[in-house]
Amino acid sequence: MAQGRLVAAILIGLAVAALVVASALSFIWNTGRTVSGVADLGGLSAHPDRAMDTATLIFRHSRGELGGIAIAPLRDALAMAPLEEEPFVYAAASLANAGRVVEASRLLRIAEERNPRSREARAMLLQHAVADADAREAVTQIEVLHRLEPELRPALSETLIYLASVPTTQQATLAAIREDRHKRDVLQGLARWGASPSMLLSAIGELGEFDLGPDRRGYVRSLVNPLLATEDWRGARRVWSVYYPGAFDGDMPLVDPAFSGEYGPPFGWATQDGRDGWARTGDEGLRGRYTGLGQAELARQLVLAEPGRYRLNIQSVDPGSGLWIEVACGSSPAFAQQQLAEEMQTVEFTAGSDCPALNLTIAARPTASQSAQDFRIIGIEMERIAP
């Protein structure tokens, strides 16, 4: 995995992996408010809340620079309002800039205790945790900041994914994540960044069971698709099988021969809706309708088969004259096809050693009558008949 590219992306987005306060906090402190809007309030400027609010806006407006902050008023403000956190944040920033990170972290802890919602304190604690490879602390701060600062969520998620991709922090990061949404983001991010099947399977095991969200099948596809894009067919099936245990019945490479729809694509049936036809899986098999006017892909399944000779047996009801079964090698044109003109149809084909992934497709084609036709396919079986 190109870790240099990942680090660069993080530094550009949030820069939490750096120890320079200004760069780390510039993205966080874009509030849209101006310093003058708080400072120019006449006699109220001496109030401790006003003094600390003014200092905070100066700090944010200057992208983390301390030079514009008057320290004496802050000391007075702290004496008048000893429970506030801002003076500790600025003192910690000054110490961190001087390389005194341990002392800075102590002050940040005080600031965090005084105000658990302080995004400045938490951002700096996150920054230190990433620099120290303290995955557990980093995850804690990320999950809190994720709730406090919705606009930072993409950058925070990328940081979390990075920590989960580095061998030295991977296991601790995955073990520390508590919220399902972060588990989903991390696993999806690892897949998107090109994680190997072994790495994904290890992460799945470390994260444990979690809610995949409302579109469960779509989420599994998002994990599998990057592997398919690199033609790692077997790796993709290994990851897919974690979420669909028991999908493969005996030696038959085809999944869901009764079209129940229990298993999601690509190694289960994917059905399509289109202008010239549609199909649905269910308890009665594959049901649908085609217009007879044009071509339409109705259902498809990706099948991994060892080289050899195979036979497909397809049982259908009222298929009409426009229903076909097609066998293709990957995205290439079909090399075997058969019209399903009878209720029991057989097609034989040879899977070559240069074709590790077959696409089985139920398709509709134009008919002479150009009339619409309802159809039902009860089942399909695939058997190997010769090496």
Side-chain angles (χ1 to χ4, degrees):
M1 182 178 295
Q3 292 183 1
R5 179 177 59 83
L6 306 184
V7 175
I10 293 167
L11 293 176
I12 292 171
L14 182 60
V16 296
L19 274 177
V20 181
V21 174
S23 64
L25 303 180
S26 62
F27 186 81
I28 289 176
W29 291 344
N30 182 15
T31 62
R33 299 171 64 194
T34 63
V35 177
S36 59
V38 173
D40 296 338
L41 292 175
L44 292 178
S45 61
H47 192 280
D49 288 347
R50 186 63 56 197
M52 286 184 275
D53 201 4
T54 300
T56 297
L57 286 173
I58 292 172
F59 200 35
R60 293 176 180 177
H61 189 71
S62 64
R63 299 290 192 263
E65 293 294 334
L66 300 170
I69 297 175
I71 301 300
L74 280 180
R75 289 173 180 161
D76 295 339
L78 181 59
M80 297 173 64
L83 297 182
E84 300 298 331
E85 87 281 0
E86 287 94 340
F88 294 91
V89 172
Y90 307 138
S94 179
L95 289 170
N97 278 335
R100 298 161 63 182
V101 178
V102 175
E103 296 167 86
S105 294
R106 293 196 188 105
L107 294 183
L108 290 171
R109 289 297 179 197
I110 297 174
E112 182 186 37
E113 290 173 1
R114 293 181 177 220
N115 181 10
R117 297 180 64 85
S118 172
R119 63 179 177 179
E120 293 84 11
R122 289 193 176 277
M124 292 173 66
L125 285 168
L126 170 58
Q127 179 184 24
H128 295 174
V130 173
D132 293 339
D134 185 349
R136 183 174 295 278
E137 171 66 14
V139 170
T140 297
Q141 298 302 340
I142 286 172
E143 291 191 331
V144 175
L145 283 168
H146 195 277
R147 293 191 293 272
L148 294 178
E149 302 294 335
E151 72 274 13
L152 297 184
R153 287 174 181 173
L156 291 168
S157 294
E158 293 295 291
T159 303
L160 194 58
I161 295 164
Y162 169 69
L163 290 170
S165 71
V166 178
T168 54
T169 56
Q170 180 182 33
Q171 187 173 5
T173 299
L174 296 172
I177 299 173
R178 293 289 175 262
E179 298 183 27
D180 284 358
R181 59 183 171 183
H182 297 310
K183 293 182 178 183
R184 289 194 296 269
D185 287 348
V186 163
L187 195 56
Q188 200 170 47
L190 290 174
R192 186 175 68 249
W193 283 359
S196 68
S198 297
M199 185 176 184
L200 288 175
L201 292 170
S202 175
I204 290 169
E206 194 67 49
L207 291 170
E209 292 187 11
F210 61 91
D211 181 13
L212 301 186
D215 185 9
R216 185 178 188 275
R217 295 189 176 196
Y219 182 79
V220 175
R221 283 297 295 267
S222 74
L223 304 181
V224 170
N225 282 345
L227 296 171
L228 296 179
T230 62
E231 298 188 351
D232 188 351
W233 313 110
R234 298 198 177 277
R237 189 171 68 176
R238 286 169 61 201
V239 174
W240 180 89
S241 297
V242 171
Y243 299 100
Y244 299 102
F248 296 96
D249 184 13
D251 296 330
M252 185 166 65
L254 185 144
V255 171
D256 194 10
F259 296 97
S260 68
E262 182 179 357
Y263 307 102
F267 299 101
W269 293 106
T271 56
Q272 304 290 336
D273 290 348
R275 181 182 62 185
D276 290 308
W278 59 268
R280 296 282 188 279
T281 54
D283 294 339
E284 296 182 337
L286 185 73
R287 302 185 69 105
R289 182 179 179 86
Y290 60 88
T291 64
L293 299 175
Q295 296 186 358
E297 180 181 305
L298 303 172
R300 174 182 289 199
Q301 180 177 143
L302 186 64
V303 177
L304 306 189
E306 298 295 332
R309 187 78 177 162
Y310 291 86
R311 178 186 296 121
L312 290 172
N313 299 308
I314 306 102
Q315 185 178 2
S316 57
V317 176
D318 297 327
S321 59
L323 204 60
W324 291 72
I325 178 88
E326 301 172 352
V327 184
C329 182
S331 59
S332 300
F335 65 83
Q337 50 194 322
Q338 178 65 53
Q339 184 181 15
L340 304 181
E342 301 176 6
E343 293 190 352
M344 181 62 75
Q345 197 77 51
T346 298
V347 56
E348 295 185 1
F349 64 90
T350 299
S353 58
D354 58 344
C355 184
L358 300 170
N359 266 313
L360 300 187
T361 303
I362 307 295
R365 297 183 183 181
T367 62
S369 63
Q370 295 188 338
S371 57
Q373 173 73 38
D374 294 323
F375 70 89
R376 175 187 169 204
I377 300 180
I378 299 172
I380 180 172
E381 293 182 350
M382 179 176 175
E383 57 180 336
R384 190 175 184 181
I385 56 178

